[in-house]
Amino acid sequence: MKVIQSAALSVVLAAGLAGCTDSGPAPGPQQQGPTVEPAPGVPSSAGPVTLRGQFQSQGAVTAGTVTIHVTKAGAVLQLENLATGTGDDLRLMLSPGTLVPGTGGSAELSSTKLIELGPLTGAGQRVEMDAARWAALREPIRSVVIYDYAGKTALGTANLQED
């Protein structure tokens, strides 16, 4: 009787093991790696993008133009003929917001988020941003702001439009 039980056990084990072979991954949808989206404002293969805007006054009379040339290599911001009020600590800022009519008739930014580029140094200032710095901006840039950091006041803003 032991021989029959032993033989039967061997047959059961052999059949069970035959069904346990690895035949590779189970069929189903293919898994893909993460997709990498181009950063906001960074053109794909379509070519470079140019953004332009005219400054509008807010906390001080402000005039001039700004141009941002965006390529795969990064972005170059150029101020031209900028004139604005004085302040103890004027900074050049980027914003995902735009200048819109606010309550009481005054203009205000549609976003409170400001990304500092550095101090305002002149009427014809140029700021270069490499591709990594430009790509680090998580939202599209829709305006450039002259900001009095000491007074916590936007002196003027230029809404950007694509050429």
Side-chain angles (χ1 to χ4, degrees), residues 69-143:
H69 296 287
V70 183
T71 65
K72 289 182 181 181
V76 176
L77 179 145
Q78 180 70 51
L79 297 177
E80 296 175 12
N81 303 316
L82 180 68
T84 191
T86 59
D88 291 331
D89 192 6
L90 299 184
R91 311 269 179 109
L92 192 57
M93 306 282 205
L94 301 175
S95 177
T98 57
L99 197 58
V100 295
T103 56
S106 62
E108 60 186 39
L109 275 172
S110 62
S111 171
T112 59
K113 185 172 184 178
L114 294 173
I115 301 135
E116 183 177 345
L117 289 180
L120 181 64
T121 60
Q125 185 171 346
R126 179 182 172 97
V127 177
E128 295 185 22
M129 294 167 272
D130 64 19
R133 184 175 181 194
W134 185 254
L137 305 173
R138 296 289 177 210
E139 299 177 71
I141 300 304
R142 295 199 167 94
S143 64

Side-chain angles (χ1 to χ4, degrees), residues 9-22:
L9 182 60
S10 295
V11 170
V12 170
L13 283 174
L17 290 175
C20 291
T21 58
D22 184 17

Side-chain angles (χ1 to χ4, degrees), residues 7-86:
L9 182 60
S10 295
V11 170
V12 170
L13 283 174
L17 290 175
C20 291
T21 58
D22 184 17
S23 62
Q30 295 272 338
Q31 289 185 355
Q32 297 178 354
T35 57
V36 178
E37 303 271 335
V42 175
S44 59
S45 59
V49 172
T50 300
L51 306 168
R52 294 188 198 281
Q54 295 284 330
F55 280 97
Q56 299 175 38
S57 300
Q58 285 177 274
V61 175
T62 303
T65 60
V66 62
T67 304
I68 302 177
H69 296 287
V70 183
T71 65
K72 289 182 181 181
V76 176
L77 179 145
Q78 180 70 51
L79 297 177
E80 296 175 12
N81 303 316
L82 180 68
T84 191
T86 59

